[in-house]
Amino acid sequence: MNLASVVLAAGQGKRMNSSLPKVLHKLNGHTMLEHVLKTLHTLKLQKIVVVVGKHFQEIKESLKAHQAISFAHQKEAKGTGDALLKTKKAIKGFHGTILIVNGDSPLITRDTLQNLLTLHRKKKDIISLVSFIATEPGSYGRVIRDATGDIVSIIENRDATESQKKIKEVNSGIYAIESDALHLLKKIPLNKSKGEYYLTDIIGIAKDKGIKVGAYCIGSEDELMGINTQEELELAKRFMKDRIVKEWGKRRVSFVDTSSVFISSDVEIGKDTKIYPNVHLEGNTKIGKGCIIYPNVRIQNSIIEDRAVIKDSTLIEDSLVKEKASVGPFAHIRPGSQIGAGAKIGNFVEVKKSVIGSGTKASHLSYLGDAKIGKDVNIGAGTITCNYDGYHKHITVIGDKVFIGSDTQLVAPVKIGKGAYVGAGSTITKDVPSMALALSRGHQQNIKGWALKKKLKGKSEKLKVKKKLIW
Ligand code: UD1
Ligand code: CA
């Protein structure tokens, strides 16, 4: 069966009170329009047409990464009926079913779209739509049914009588229309109260002509809500967040508090991973099996392999943390870093564009930037790779099994050979050969009795001052 889809996205979105086109507002890392398109891409569609309005440049730009989309241009937002009419050229030559969705309904699911198409075909409808029961029907179009329960028409809220306004079954804005019925669009009259051509009027028009129409109440409000205001966007964000967390919960990911976890829709999480409160998993992040992510962690576009532990208040960006590694608390792994298997990056350690070998430990207060660090290295507390000379970044190379004493500055470019030791408090400016000890600190001098003399001197000074005051 031939199937195409049209996404209506040319409206003004005035009720959002924002200069950003409505469908470009984001929830969970993606625009409303991207969410809708992502769901549509899961169906076998011959064509997807997005109707764009005066913001067409911005919208096209935002969809650069999406292939196989055609655009139809509705210069003036003259209503949803007019918007569909504007796709005439883009869908010319297509014969089959057209699935129409509003661009401001980002939570719609594949299941509901598929269920509509199944019912549409089974009942041999020419036009059908998805309805739902709204707790507050507000601005939605009301589904008017006859005594036998068949849909008769849709009445928009602003045109509804007081008794029609009480109807809780509303139109979701998802329709399946046979291409042969599109000629009915021309029969839609201008709605005088809004100055628009309502797509919803096609139901009444078809019904009057004896054309078979159907309305199926097959989805819930938290999936089918349309977003017209900032408040509705906030509500949709919550619905989406809850839905994603619930899905992962079903796949054996455990959460200490589901209400305070944010997971982007592209994230993947392995079984038996435990996630504490206030964790944000963003972008294309992949978390392995059996990991523990402690509170206040944000991970963006990163891979965390199996059984790694990310401790409290840690930020990881565009990096790879290999299996059984431990990062945090209070660590910052900046883009381009790789933390080796079983390695430990501890308290207040910042790693930037560096490779940390397996089993290596940097447990406290360090900056490791542009460094290539081997296996089983010990990085002492307070070690700093001085990678920037004010103009250029330079590389520090540290071989396997090196021991870097605390408070060392490694002035790059510099190499520390395998198995070498660097004494605590050293400033290393020259390469250190393998198995050598490098020391670069002043010799210690102990002056016997110095402190005692100082104290005695201090006492006699104080006595002099006192005597002066008395006299
Ligand atoms: C619409 C329906 C309403 C339904 C609700 C579901 C109409 C007349 N009403 O109302 O029955 O309950 O959706 O959420 O269709 N658009 C255009 N061109 C335009 C106007 C709108 O492309 O000239 C697009 C918008 O960008 C939006 C979609 O169509 O994505 C719906 O438009 P909107 O103004 O939000 O309609 P609602 O008032 O919500
Ligand atoms: Ca809407």
Side-chain angles (χ1 to χ4, degrees), residues 143-147 149-154 203-205 207-208 213:
V143 173
I144 313 295
R145 292 185 184 266
D146 64 16
D150 285 345
I151 183 168
V152 176
S153 63
I154 289 172
I203 303 290
I205 294 168
K207 190 80 187 174
D208 286 348
V213 293

Side-chain angles (χ1 to χ4, degrees), residues 170-349:
V170 298
N171 168 30
S172 69
I174 302 172
Y175 319 82
I177 301 183
E178 290 307 306
S179 54
D180 295 344
L182 288 179
H183 64 91
L184 294 176
L185 289 171
K186 288 197 199 112
K187 305 230 176 313
I188 293 175
L190 180 74
N191 180 291
K192 298 231 171 62
S193 67
K194 197 153 182 226
E196 285 187 359
Y197 297 90
Y198 290 168
L199 175 55
T200 44
D201 284 349
I202 202 171
I203 303 290
I205 294 168
K207 190 80 187 174
D208 286 348
K209 290 188 177 295
I211 293 170
K212 200 161 176 329
V213 293
Y216 306 108
C217 198
I218 51 173
S220 62
E221 189 170 16
D222 56 7
E223 173 197 350
L224 296 166
M225 71 174 293
I227 296 169
N228 301 315
T229 63
Q230 297 285 351
E231 290 74 22
E232 284 161 354
L233 178 62
E234 288 311 307
L235 185 63
K237 281 181 189 170
R238 214 166 62 226
F239 284 152
M240 185 167 282
K241 179 186 88 68
D242 291 348
R243 184 201 284 178
I244 292 172
V245 173
K246 213 166 153 187
E247 270 308 309
W248 286 113
K250 281 187 209 157
R251 296 192 225 170
R252 257 177 64 188
V253 173
S254 71
F255 297 95
V256 173
D257 173 13
T258 50
S259 69
S260 66
V261 170
F262 300 84
I263 302 172
S264 137
S265 35
D266 300 322
V267 166
E268 285 173 28
I269 313 172
K271 280 178 189 163
D272 301 326
T273 282
K274 184 170 184 177
I275 298 181
Y276 279 79
N278 200 21
V279 165
H280 296 243
L281 304 177
E282 300 174 348
N284 285 316
T285 291
K286 285 191 178 62
I287 311 282
K289 289 180 240 158
C291 295
I292 306 177
I293 318 286
Y294 281 102
N296 307 322
V297 166
R298 184 157 76 89
I299 304 175
Q300 198 179 52
N301 297 320
S302 295
I303 298 173
I304 312 296
E305 290 186 352
D306 297 351
R307 283 170 289 157
V309 176
I310 313 299
K311 294 184 180 166
D312 315 48
S313 301
T314 290
L315 168 60
I316 301 176
E317 304 166 282
D318 300 276
S319 290
L320 166 66
V321 175
K322 292 198 170 178
E323 57 175 348
K324 290 191 199 161
S326 159
V327 180
F330 298 98
H332 186 184
I333 310 298
R334 290 171 52 195
S337 298
Q338 191 176 308
I339 311 301
K344 183 183 173 197
I345 300 296
N347 305 263
F348 303 102
V349 174

Side-chain angles (χ1 to χ4, degrees), residues 7-13 15 22-23 32 51-53 74 76-84 101-105 132 137 139-142 154-157 170-175 194 196-201 224-228:
V7 183
L8 305 180
Q12 306 267 21
R15 290 168 277 180
K22 175 164 79 171
V23 293
M32 293 190 206
V51 186
V52 288
Q74 186 193 25
E76 267 179 81
K78 288 197 277 183
T80 45
D82 178 68
L84 188 56
V101 293
N102 284 348
D104 65 358
S105 303
F132 65 100
S139 66
Y140 290 115
R142 307 299 198 272
I154 289 172
I155 304 289
E156 289 304 302
N157 181 57
V170 298
N171 168 30
S172 69
I174 302 172
Y175 319 82
K194 197 153 182 226
E196 285 187 359
Y197 297 90
Y198 290 168
L199 175 55
T200 44
D201 284 349
L224 296 166
M225 71 174 293
I227 296 169
N228 301 315

